[in-house]
Every structure is written in C-alpha cells, then in structure tokens.
DNA sequence: GATTAATCGAGACGGTACGTCAAGTCTTGAT
DNA sequence: ATCAAGACTTGACGTACCGTCTCGATTAATC
C-alpha cells in the first residue's frame, strides 16, 4: 500500500543534512541554529521538524549520512602497513564528520538512546575495520594466538582520539609514525 | 591591602560547585542551567557570575575542585602493578567528576582557550602520574630505552576513555585485567 | 457549455459551511482553523480553497447561508406589533449565525471590501424589513411625516446589538417588551 | 513589606501600551505582532510576556489605559444640548481606542472573561455619562417620570455604533444632528 | 471503451507569529 | 563590596496556522 498524500521531497533531506554539516564545520555545534540550517538549505523550519524531532537528532543523522563516504580497508599483508595506510587515509579525508562527532558528544550525554545509535553507526565502522586487520595479523602469525584483538585494534583510534582531546593536537603523519613504531614495529608487536 | 566592603562568603563557592557537579550528574552538561545551580545552591545568580565569568568556567572549576580528592601515585616496583593499582583506585573513587568531564569534553571544542586550561589542570595530573610510572619502568630496565614514554603512558587512560565513549561501558576491574594482561604482561611489555 | 472534468461535489459545500458555523459557535472566530473545518467536514483543505479564496470569505458565506432561514416580515397593521412579532421570531430562531456574525464583525474591520459585502447581504435584510415596517407606519399616519425612517427603523436592532455587546446579554422577551414600551408605546411613538 | 528584587521599569509598561495602540491604529489588530510591539517600544519580548500572558490581554489593557483621557460630562441644562455636545467631543477626540476596541471584539469572543472586563472598563464609562444626563432630564421634567432611562441613554451610542458596523460610516456632525432632531427635538422627546 | 480533464483526500511545503526558555547583565534594598 | 531577588536584553527553541503545492485515485463527459 502506497503512502497517501504528497510525498516528502528527498532533496530537502539531503539539503538539510548537508547544510547542518557545513554549518557545524563553520561554527561548531553550539553555534548551530535550526533557522540557519533552514536558511542555508532553503527549507522551512516546519519541514525540518517534520523530519527530525529536534536539533540533536538532525545533526546526528547528518553526521551519520556523511560518514558513509569513507576509506576502504587496506590489505597489504602486514599489520603495520595496514594500519599506517588506513590512518593516513583518515588524515587526508579529515572530514567534518569527525570533528562534528566530537563536538557532539556533550550534547549526546543528555540523550543516551541517541548516543548509543550514534556510536553504533559512527564508531562501529572503525572498530570493525581495525579488528579485521588485527585478526588477519593473528591468523598470519604476526601476532601471538592469545592476543586480545579488541584491545589491540583499539590502540590506534583510542590514542588518536585521546591525544586530540587531551592536547588538542589532531592526528597527523608524525603521530602515525610514532604509533606504528611503538606498537607495530617493523618486526613484531610484543615478541622478542 | 584588605579589600573594602563585605567579604565574599566562601561557603557560596563550595555550594555552587557542589550543586553544579550534582546537576551535571543528573542531567548532563546541556541540561545544566545557571538558574538551576543558583536554586540548588541557594545562591543568587549574581553571586555566581561574580565568581565565574560564564557557565563553562564554573563547571570546569567544579570538576577541578572535585578532582582533588584523587588517588596518590603508587610505587610497587613493577609497572604492571603500579598501573593496576592506580586504575583500581580510580574505579573505586568513580567520582562524578569523571563523567562530568566526559560530558563536558565537547563543549570545550567550541572554546579552545578554556579547553586548554581544562586539559592542563584535569588531564595533566593523570598524564604526569602515568608518565612517571612508565619512566621509572624504563629506568629499571623493565622497558627498553627507546620506549615512547608518552604513548605507553597514555595506553591505559586512552583505551579506558575510548571504551566508555564508544561502547558506553565504564572502566571496571575486568577491563583493568585485560589491559594489564595485553600490554603489561607479568613478565614484560616488550622484550628486546 | 458544460464544464469538463469531474464536477464538484455539492455536498462538500454544505458540509464545510455547516462545520464552519459549528466551530465558530464553539470557539469563536479566532479559534477557527481551516484544518479544523476540513476535519470536521471530512473535506480536504484543497477542496475548501478551491471554493473560497480564504478563511474570511468562507465564514462570511457560511453566515449568509445560514441566515436565509429567517423570519418573514410581519404586517399586523400596527408598528409596535410588527416589531414585537419580528423580534420574537428572531429570539426563537436564535440561530448560530447571529452570534457568528457578531464574533466576526471585527475581523471585517481589517478587510473593508469584505465588510461591505458582508453588510450588504447580512445586515441589509434586517434593515430592509424594519424600514418597510416603519415606512408603512408613516403612511398609515402612525408616525408623523417628517420621521427619520432610517433612524427609527434602526432603534430595535441597534439597541439589541449594543446591549449584547456591552452587557453580554442577548435579546430576550423581557427586553423586547421594554423596547416596545419605551419607543413604540401602544398609542404612538411621537405625536405631533 | 516592600517587594524584593529589582522593580519593574514602569516606563516599559507605558512604552509597550503606547506602541500597541499605535500599531493597532496603523494596521489593525490582526496585523499586530508581539515582535513589532517589542521593537517599537524598545522592549524585549520576554518583558512583555512577564507583564501580560498573551497578545490579547496586552491590547485590552492598552485600550483601557488610553481610554482614560476622555471627555467630561457636559451639563447645559437641556438634554439635547448635553448629548450633542458630548457626541461632538467624541467625534473630535475620535481616538484610536474606539476603533481599536471595535477591531478587538472578534478576538474577545474567544475569552469571555477578558471580554467582560473590557466591556466594564471601556463601555461602562459612556453608559454612566449618558445615563446621568438622561436622569437629570427626567428630574427636570424634560422627560416623563416613567422613562426607561437605560434605554434612552443607550440610543445615541447604540445607533452610532450600529451605523458604523452596518454601513461602515463613522459618527459625524451630520449624524449627530439627525439623532438629536429625531430623538431629542428642541422641544421634548415624546411629548406633544 | 479509452481518453481527457477537473475533482477528491492526504499531506508536504514556505512563511510567519506564537509563547517559552536560557545566558549573561543590571538594579533594587538589606547586610 | 557583598547578598538574594528578580527584572532586563538577546536570541534560539519548538509549535501552530495560513494558503499553496503535489501525489495517486475518482468521476463524468467526450472521443
């Protein structure tokens, strides 16, 4: 059974999400305004609220939507190279969505439901990729069988984010090298 | 030179900071309101703004204040034990300030100046502690001379925070054990 | 020349007008909504706007339509009796249209064009009736030749409406008697 | 006991009421906007809503406030002259408040409570004046003892308003003369 | 019987005003 | 100079209504 009435204009969805991403990139989440989004996207506020119940929900969907154009998983045959390559792609892509997500985490504290959804769609992708790379390394014998794949896979993203949160410095090539040298040295991770 | 007029009531400072911490714990940073703080603390809004220029600085100071009741640095003679012991104390102390800081971290994205200050006072203490522990381990020969102390010191806090941010799970005893086993095994971290 | 396409459903006209009258009676003109009318009449908003260019014209036509079931002009041979009889019929008919018109009168202040039309169709009928009655009285010699027919004819409706607007009391039998006794006493109004 | 806190600025009250009256005079009640009032009066919207719960209440008070500068009751010794003089003063004063009240009556239909208040303060003044004039005329013997003072006193305002509502013509000198000639002729009202 | 053209209900759309709420400032009288 | 109380400006919030505009589905009259 087809839906009744005039169908929603899908262009408006995209225009609104794009406008939200843009404006977050320009001024951050707190400076973001529904009126600004409406104006930038040439969409009425009513149309926005017909789709999203509030600002936060809109922004989360915006970030999710723009996170889908991301880097493919490399497969070089060596864990160190996989990780370096993937991180380098991230640095180059340094899309607005990452900083948007970070700018969002405070607001998400007030809505655990939405926070979970946001984590599931945004962060899970990274974890999946890293875990696959680490798992392959274990299979290849690069890492010992008892390796805690989850923990090792999280090293790179965790340290990268921690650094940006504690020192304010974002991920760059030099840091990638330090990471790789310390935790994924040319020979092996924790073997003599 | 003594200031003229009626001196400030020091009780108000503490009442306000305590109220802020409480309210952040209840509803998160975005739901925090200066009026709510004033009411909860039985303090006038004017008194708040006489002490702190805006909401963010008040909250930062609140978190700082409640972070001073923290764990001392252990010195067991073995890195693994130092780290485990320190983390366990953190878990037991699980004060509201930790989640308050996490809930706050993004609001800081919009104010780099304040973010820096917040980092310096709140995060530095952790980093200093962990780095000292790792440095001692290097001196003892537990870790090889070329070890990137910063990175190794950040492993525990970075992974702990990453986990809480991505999966929503907070630091607990089981996770501490996993951390220790993977990165600081009973024998050594990385053997030359 | 027959119009092409599907013909308009005449039932919708009536349903819409009836719904408008009902809703005005329930909440007054300002609380009246096109969406409410549409829902109450089980008619789409588009169908409404296909028939009337805006809310005001719809309402005016609604009032007009329901004003057509009104009293015939009496002709008893005596002005007092004519007026009393006509007013009594009005009281008994006390249709929703009267109060609807009163509730509407101010909205018309903003649209002189429509106000004129509304006056012509709604009010003129009353005036015509009363003037005819007064004119006959003058011809019969009941009133002197120089009588200002307009003014005398307006006494009853003007005082009735003024009373309802100033004191909130509507026309009733007692008031009709007072009116008749004061201005159209059993003998004559103004004797030369 | 004096009220606590900063007292309300009485200038804001007056500025808001004045702005409301002005704007009603310029565009009528439907075109009136709280934002416009706020802007015109250089007052914040919040300050408006602190004083009045909604637009209608504000406007009613505005009209009431500006209705207090009105004509004094004449006392010429003859009813006809009293009435003519009072009506002429009204014509000259033709303040915005009268048309504002008329423009308001529709909106008042939705709030009977407020409508009553509005009637009591705005219309009662006129009635009191007219009734006093008529009562004096009865005492002087100008009108017979059994005269229905209420009704006779209402003739002038009722016919004036009825005329403006039905024909759109406002009270003017010519109409005053017609009124006086018909109902209050130089000699007597209903005497031979 | 197929086509055409205007209707129908449902509901999305832009625009605009509403009334609420929070941040940060200012003004009382009192301490 | 401080205090509590509370008014003040600014500006965003989320809601509601108006009048317009698509949709797919009906419904006659025409071909």
């Amino acid at each position: 059974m087809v839906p009744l009435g005039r169908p929603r204009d899908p262009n408006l969805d995209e225009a609104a999400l794009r406008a939200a991403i843009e404006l977050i990139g320009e001024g951050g989440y707190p400076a973001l305004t529904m009126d600004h989004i409406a104006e930038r996207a040439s969409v009425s506020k009513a149309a926005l609220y017909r789709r999203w119940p509030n600002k936060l929900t809109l922004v989360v969907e915006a970030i999710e939507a723009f996170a889908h154009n991301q880097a493919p998983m490399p497969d070089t045959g060596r864990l160190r190279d996989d990780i370096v390559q993937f991180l380098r792609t991230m640095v180059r892509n340094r899309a607005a969505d990452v900083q948007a997500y970070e700018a969002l985490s405070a607001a998400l504290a007030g809505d655990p439901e939405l926070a979970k959804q946001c984590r599931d769609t945004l962060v899970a992708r990274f974890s999946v990729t890293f875990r696959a790379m680490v798992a392959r390394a274990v299979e290849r014998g690069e890492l010992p069988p008892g390796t805690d794949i989850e923990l090792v896979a999280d090293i790179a993203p965790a340290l990268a984010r921690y650094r940006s949160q504690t020192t304010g410095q974002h991920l760059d090539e030099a840091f990638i090298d330090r990471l790789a040298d310390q935790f994924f040295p040319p020979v092996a991770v924790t073997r003599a």
Side-chain angles (χ1 to χ4, degrees), chain A:
Chain A
M1 176 189 170
V2 286
L4 291 179
R6 173 177 176 175
R8 292 191 181 168
D9 185 344
N11 296 328
L12 299 194
D13 292 75
E14 198 204 319
L17 297 177
R18 183 184 307 280
I21 290 288
E22 285 178 19
L23 289 168
I24 271 202
E26 296 172 12
Y29 178 77
L32 188 63
T33 290
M34 290 303 258
D35 293 83
H36 288 351
I37 297 177
E39 190 185 5
R40 173 75 61 103
S42 299
V43 163
S44 72
K45 248 201 320 178
L48 297 183
Y49 281 102
R50 199 173 293 120
R51 288 166 168 77
W52 301 280
N54 51 50
K55 186 168 74 159
L56 185 55
T57 313
L58 190 166
V59 173
V60 166
E61 188 170 325
I63 294 176
E64 288 176 3
F66 279 76
H68 284 314
N69 339 329
Q70 281 295 357
M73 173 168 61
D75 188 0
T76 64
R78 227 174 39 152
L79 180 56
R80 177 198 169 92
D81 295 343
D82 282 356
I83 286 181
V84 167
Q85 185 174 324
F86 189 74
L87 291 176
R88 284 196 175 137
T89 314
M90 277 184 60
V91 169
R92 276 191 279 276
N93 285 5
R94 166 142 305 296
D97 64 336
V98 175
Q99 58 200 92
Y101 171 71
E102 288 173 4
L104 213 59
S105 59
L108 286 171
D111 190 337
E113 194 97 8
L114 196 60
K116 183 177 180 342
Q117 169 194 340
C118 199
R119 282 196 300 263
D120 289 349
T121 59
L122 281 180
V123 185
R125 288 176 311 107
F126 287 95
S127 295
V128 166
T129 305
F130 278 108
R131 283 175 195 177
M133 296 192 297
V134 173
R136 279 201 313 253
V138 173
E139 285 175 14
R140 280 194 304 261
E142 242 184 285
L143 292 177
T147 301
D148 191 329
I149 296 180
E150 262 191 47
L151 284 189
V152 175
D154 284 350
I155 288 181
L159 281 174
R161 174 166 301 175
Y162 187 73
R163 185 171 121 112
S164 89
Q165 285 179 348
T166 54
T167 71
Q169 297 171 304
H170 285 291
L171 187 64
D172 58 12
E173 303 270 342
F175 189 69
I176 293 175
D177 289 341
R178 282 179 63 191
L179 261 178
D181 287 342
Q182 177 63 40
F183 299 109
F184 311 98
V187 185
V189 179
T190 56
R191 279 291 304 283

